[in-house]
Amino acid sequence: MTVTSSRLKHEVKDLSFAPLGRQRIEWAGREMPVLRQIRDRFAQEKPLSGIRLVACCHVTTETAHLAIALKAAGADALLIASNPLSTQDDVAASLVADHEIPVFAYKGEDNETYSRHLQIALDHRPNIIIDDGSDVVATLIQERQHQIADLIGTTEETTTGIVRLKAMLNDGVLTFPAMNVNDADTKHFFDNRYGTGQSTLDGIIRSTNILLAGKTIVVAGYGWCGKGTALRARGMGANVVVTEVDSVRAIEAVMDGLRVLPMAEAAPLGDIFITVTGNKHVIRAEHFEVMKDGAIVCNSGHFDIEIDLKSLGATSTEVRTVRNFTQEYRLQNGKSVVVLGEGRLINLAAAEGHPSAVMDMSFANQALACEYLVKNQGKLEPGIHSIPAEVDREIARLKLQAMGIAIDTLTPEQIEYTNSWTSGT
Ligand SMILES: NC(=O)c1ccc[n+]([C@@H]2O[C@H](COP(=O)([O-])OP(=O)(O)OC[C@H]3O[C@@H](n4cnc5c(N)ncnc54)[C@H](O)[C@@H]3O)[C@@H](O)[C@H]2O)c1
């Protein structure tokens, strides 16, 4: 299954999948005009020339465009998967065969392989790490302190990774600059909300072929991903219940017209449960116990910790696979609970992740954050840095331009008015 050639070290499922991957990468590119423009400029200017770069991302068609842009910029880039179930094997094959980018990833890799790939990534001695969930950075800090001197900085893609970076900062171990891509407006407003919102439902539909209209869907967490998921589920005709721990977010859900309940009260009502909190054991033994027979449970948060599958397994008499990415647990009380995608990100396990149009902006941020790190090498303090506001605005401007949408500009009179405090009523 795993192929390694001497010409270019890699570990992908099958290089013969490359033609299909090439076709799918090309298709995704139609929706990625911003990253295309950045890649074209990078090819001219080579801002990452000589930089050893590791990207730990979901290996999808969109990530392929990021990797190609980084290579065009002159980077010596190596790609590993940020999740054992999200790799698209045809894309991995095409990146190796058509673009000579080393990829170490295949769908369904076990945890031991995942950890081995993290080590291979660090053997590349990266100057820049693009991380999604902070696993490479955490491994670097824990196991390869001596390599930190090689590092110019890191960029982080997702909310959970940012939470981990903040914990590293608090512990005094984040001794290099980290760019917070997740919190760029052109990232989380779109990727987390519209991307996760749509693709999570896509993953549920692909794995179950179930009708959402009329179902009660419980969404745990009303953050950016939760809002997108809940409001799209309502748009599909579901009755949506939200669970939260943050009072402001809970009020927001209420005012968006959704029912808010504690999980203990939502558990007996739901037909489908979706966790998107970034937190641990949000659905656990006492909840499974009171669920309806056949309730469906899945997760779209970063790690597979939100649903306590260990306790579900312990109280089950039988587990059987009923469809792809769909396992039915028979509980001791005679009822069954259906778990999708082994509790891993359902939008990447059973569907294709976010649509390309949103990843266009997320990965434009990634590419520009790498360029920013190199341009500012030695000038940035250790710690977590925001993407500069002008980068955010430029990405939005390029996206609008590509969509053929024009907006107004401030008139001189309006500029004067907004800069003045003397003109009132
Ligand atoms: N599936 C994907 O493709 C994808 C994309 C982007 C982000 N993510 C991941 O999704 C998760 C959520 O991201 P986000 O940007 O929405 O984060 P966020 O911080 O905006 O929202 C998380 C929400 O969950 C709530 N929460 C925390 N613990 C809870 C609990 N026990 N019960 C109920 N609510 C709880 C928080 O109060 C918060 O409102 C993260 O793990 C992130 O990395 C996944």
Side-chain angles (χ1 to χ4, degrees):
M1 180 177 71
T2 303
V3 187
T4 308
S5 85
S6 53
R7 190 170 57 86
L8 179 68
K9 281 214 157 128
H10 63 269
E11 198 171 314
V12 301
K13 188 159 273 170
D14 191 338
L15 280 183
S16 73
F17 295 169
L20 179 62
R22 192 183 320 139
Q23 207 175 36
R24 293 183 55 246
I25 291 168
E26 190 187 316
W27 177 254
R30 291 174 183 230
E31 292 269 281
M32 305 185 77
V34 177
L35 193 58
R36 185 165 59 241
Q37 289 186 55
I38 292 170
R39 184 196 63 203
D40 290 347
R41 178 172 67 75
F42 277 7
Q44 299 285 321
E45 298 176 6
K46 303 277 177 205
L48 304 182
S49 186
I51 298 292
R52 288 189 307 275
L53 189 150
V54 159
C56 177
C57 300
H58 301 291
V59 182
T60 62
T61 50
E62 296 79 19
T63 301
H65 283 280
L66 174 63
I68 292 165
L70 297 168
K71 192 171 179 205
D76 173 7
L78 178 146
L79 180 61
I80 61 169
S82 59
N83 182 295
L85 276 191
S86 64
T87 299
Q88 298 170 3
D89 290 317
D90 51 354
V91 170
S94 172
L95 282 173
V96 173
D98 301 324
H99 301 279
E100 300 204 339
I101 294 172
V103 180
F104 294 81
Y106 54 88
K107 191 171 179 98
E109 62 189 48
D110 58 18
N111 285 345
E112 182 269 320
T113 307
Y114 182 78
S115 303
R116 188 166 52 75
H117 288 168
L118 284 172
Q119 296 298 334
I120 288 172
L122 290 173
D123 289 345
H124 193 55
R125 299 192 73 87
N127 308 121
I128 292 184
I129 296 168
I130 296 180
D131 226 348
D132 186 342
S134 230
D135 273 349
V136 184
V137 169
T139 312
L140 176 81
I141 291 174
Q142 285 166 315
E143 300 175 24
R144 306 262 190 129
Q145 275 286 326
H146 60 284
Q147 278 185 230
I148 290 179
D150 291 343
L151 200 67
I152 298 171
T154 175
T155 70
E156 175 50 54
E157 172 74 6
T158 198
T159 316
T160 285
I162 299 300
V163 170
R164 290 180 88 187
L165 285 172
K166 285 180 182 160
M168 291 173 199
L169 194 61
N170 285 341
D171 280 353
V173 295
L174 188 68
T175 54
F176 43 83
M179 300 300 298
N180 182 346
V181 168
N182 182 70
D183 288 359
D185 288 350
T186 45
K187 200 280 183 180
H188 69 279
F189 283 173
F190 302 92
D191 169 315
N192 301 30
R193 183 166 38 171
Y194 304 113
T196 310
Q198 177 169 314
S199 60
T200 296
L201 299 187
D202 186 15
I204 294 169
I205 293 166
R206 289 198 206 193
S207 51
T208 61
N209 194 27
I210 205 166
L211 181 73
L212 302 187
K215 297 287 190 306
T216 296
I217 299 190
V218 179
V219 178
Y222 204 64
W224 290 102
C225 295
K227 283 189 244 285
T229 307
L231 296 175
R232 264 138 208 83
R234 185 171 66 178
M236 299 281 282
N239 299 304
V240 178
V241 174
V242 166
T243 73
E244 251 300 343
V245 292
D246 179 308
S247 53
V248 175
R249 292 262 166 102
I251 291 266
E252 194 182 356
V254 171
M255 299 225 174
D256 281 339
L258 304 171
R259 191 170 176 198
V260 175
L261 291 172
M263 185 57 84
E265 289 176 37
L269 305 179
D271 299 301
I272 301 171
F273 294 80
I274 306 167
T275 54
V276 257
T277 68
N279 214 339
K280 193 173 176 182
H281 294 174
V282 176
I283 301 182
R284 46 189 185 268
E286 72 243 40
H287 303 131
F288 296 126
E289 195 57 36
V290 295
M291 281 180 186
K292 289 182 188 173
D293 185 24
I296 293 170
V297 177
C298 67
N299 167 53
S300 220
H302 188 77
F303 286 121
D304 59 341
I305 47 159
E306 305 212 10
I307 303 167
D308 183 2
L309 286 182
K310 214 165 167 191
S311 77
L312 180 61
T315 54
S316 297
T317 53
E318 189 195 353
V319 184
R320 63 188 188 114
T321 298
V322 286
R323 284 171 64 94
N324 279 345
F325 310 112
T326 307
Q327 290 185 306
E328 184 180 51
Y329 287 69
R330 177 71 52 194
L331 304 189
Q332 279 158 7
N333 66 14
K335 293 190 284 190
S336 76
V337 170
V338 175
V339 177
L340 307 183
E342 300 170 18
R344 296 191 187 276
L345 298 157
I346 188 60
N347 60 331
L348 282 138
E352 294 174 66
H354 293 170
S356 316
V358 290
M359 294 316 292
D360 188 27
M361 290 192 283
S362 305
F363 285 162
N365 275 292
Q366 284 288 5
L368 296 180
C370 292
E371 182 184 38
Y372 182 82
L373 279 172
V374 173
K375 275 193 176 155
N376 292 284
Q377 184 172 0
K379 293 185 216 150
L380 297 172
E381 293 290 319
I384 303 170
H385 297 261
S386 301
I387 298 293
E390 59 272 20
V391 171
D392 237 342
R393 268 195 294 275
E394 177 62 4
I395 291 172
R397 190 189 67 74
L398 290 172
K399 190 74 176 173
L400 283 169
Q401 190 184 52
M403 294 165 97
I405 296 169
I407 60 170
D408 286 325
T409 47
L410 291 171
T411 63
E413 185 192 23
Q414 288 166 343
I415 292 173
E416 194 187 326
Y417 177 75
T418 50
N419 288 334
S420 155
W421 59 270
T422 51
S423 43
T425 41

